[in-house]
DNA sequence: CTCTGGATTAGCT
DNA sequence: GCTAATCCAGAGC
């Protein structure tokens, strides 16, 4: 048996994983490992909470009214990173899904830190582990994701997502999405039941 | 051009 | 529980 190094343990998710139904991708991203190679310092975390944004069907999605300069990345083929700036001070990171031109994405709302604790603590200016990435803007801060990372291809070597555990349906919780005023009725938030790194409500 | 409010968070009361 | 912080995209005129 060859020795398995921590970073070779997981395989990068292929393009096909992302080019599927958005709600399916949002559920299946749970348990996968989100990785940022920040100038050689690896930061990674297990995805524990996501939300789906379904473009033209979804008044809460940035792409509801079609393509603009801000949301153009959401119309790329699945497997790109859509980063947007909001509330005058925060960034949020989304995984683009479906085929080119569709305009759907999955918001990464929380991860359980796995690797790179020191770097995350520096970026977050925080000593505790529990609150490093249990919210969409916290996650971006902890992972060093901002405007420059918008449009990053997740099949490249800087930011990617690795296959890991498949969370069974019985362990996935659903609810309405957080912090929106339009299309609130859709239960398109997904999280790992009982995981303490899911964001507070 | 102007105005409104937002896929949030931290820090108070 | 409440709200300030602090930009800027998108809508409306």
């Amino acid at each position: 048996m060859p020795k398995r190094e921590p970073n070779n343990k997981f395989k990068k998710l292929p393009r096909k994983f992302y080019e599927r139904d958005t709600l399916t991708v949002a559920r299946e991203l749970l348990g996968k490992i989100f990785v940022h190679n920040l100038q050689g310092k690896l930061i990674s975390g297990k995805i524990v909470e996501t939300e789906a944004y379904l473009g033209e069907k979804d008044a809460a999605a940035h792409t509801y009214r079609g393509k603009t300069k801000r949301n153009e990345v959401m119309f790329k083929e699945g497997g790109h990173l859509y980063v947007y700036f909001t509330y005058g001070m925060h960034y949020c990171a989304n995984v683009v899904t479906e085929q080119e031109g569709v305009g759907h994405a999955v918001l990464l709302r929380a991860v359980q830190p796995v690797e790179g604790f020191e770097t995350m603590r520096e970026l977050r200016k925080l000593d505790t582990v529990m609150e490093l990435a249990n919210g969409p803007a916290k996650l971006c801060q902890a992972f060093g994701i901002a405007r420059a990372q918008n449009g990053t291809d997740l099949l490249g070597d800087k930011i990617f997502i690795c296959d890991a555990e498949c969370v069974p349906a019985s362990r996935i919780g659903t609810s309405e999405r957080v912090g929106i005023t339009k299309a609130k009725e859709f239960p398109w938030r997904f999280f790992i039941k009982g995981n303490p790194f899911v964001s507070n409500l």
Side-chain angles (χ1 to χ4, degrees):
Chain A
M1 272 277 283
K3 186 182 170 188
R4 290 201 300 179
E5 296 298 328
N7 297 332
N8 296 335
K9 197 159 139 191
F10 302 117
K11 218 167 86 180
K12 207 177 286 180
L13 293 171
R15 180 78 65 198
K16 281 182 181 173
F17 177 91
Y18 303 105
E19 289 182 318
R20 294 182 298 158
D21 170 74
T22 306
L23 294 173
T24 302
V25 176
R27 279 187 288 258
E28 292 192 12
L29 277 173
L30 295 174
K32 305 297 190 278
I33 307 295
F34 184 56
V35 186
H36 191 183
N37 183 346
L38 201 62
Q39 294 149 11
K41 292 178 190 168
L42 282 183
I43 302 172
S44 69
K46 177 167 89 169
I47 298 169
V48 298
E49 179 179 351
T50 62
E51 278 179 6
Y53 286 86
L54 272 58
E56 73 289 343
K57 302 173 199 165
D58 180 4
H62 290 168
T63 48
Y64 182 56
R65 293 164 195 273
K67 191 188 268 193
T68 64
K69 188 170 186 181
R70 180 205 204 189
N71 68 28
E72 61 186 357
V73 169
M74 264 180 84
F75 287 96
K76 291 193 181 202
E77 62 189 331
H80 286 84
L81 193 71
Y82 168 53
V83 181
Y84 68 87
F85 183 68
T86 191
Y87 291 107
M89 60 184 76
H90 296 303
Y91 293 95
C92 294
N94 301 250
V95 173
V96 177
T97 61
E98 288 280 3
Q99 307 295 313
E100 182 173 3
V102 174
H104 290 196
V106 174
L107 172 69
L108 300 178
R109 283 196 58 90
V111 306
Q112 172 174 345
V114 169
E115 217 176 347
F117 290 87
E118 278 312 305
T119 311
M120 290 192 203
R121 286 199 193 95
E122 284 170 26
L123 289 166
R124 290 272 295 129
K125 304 181 192 340
L126 198 71
D127 289 327
T128 59
V129 172
M130 290 305 297
E131 304 225 331
L132 280 177
N134 63 336
K138 297 178 189 178
L139 183 160
C140 281
Q141 196 182 6
F143 274 67
I145 289 171
R147 207 178 300 271
Q149 281 68 39
N150 187 34
T152 303
D153 188 349
L154 296 174
L155 274 83
D157 290 327
K158 297 301 291 182
I159 304 176
F160 48 91
I161 302 176
C162 291
D163 200 0
E165 76 181 276
C166 288
V167 179
S170 62
R171 288 189 47 228
I172 296 177
T174 64
S175 78
E176 293 180 352
R177 294 172 293 177
V178 177
I180 57 172
T181 55
K182 303 168 206 161
K184 286 180 80 152
E185 66 275 19
F186 298 119
W188 293 341
R189 169 173 174 260
F190 304 97
F191 54 93
I192 299 179
K193 276 185 198 171
N195 185 293
F197 294 88
V198 168
S199 72
N200 298 324
L201 291 184

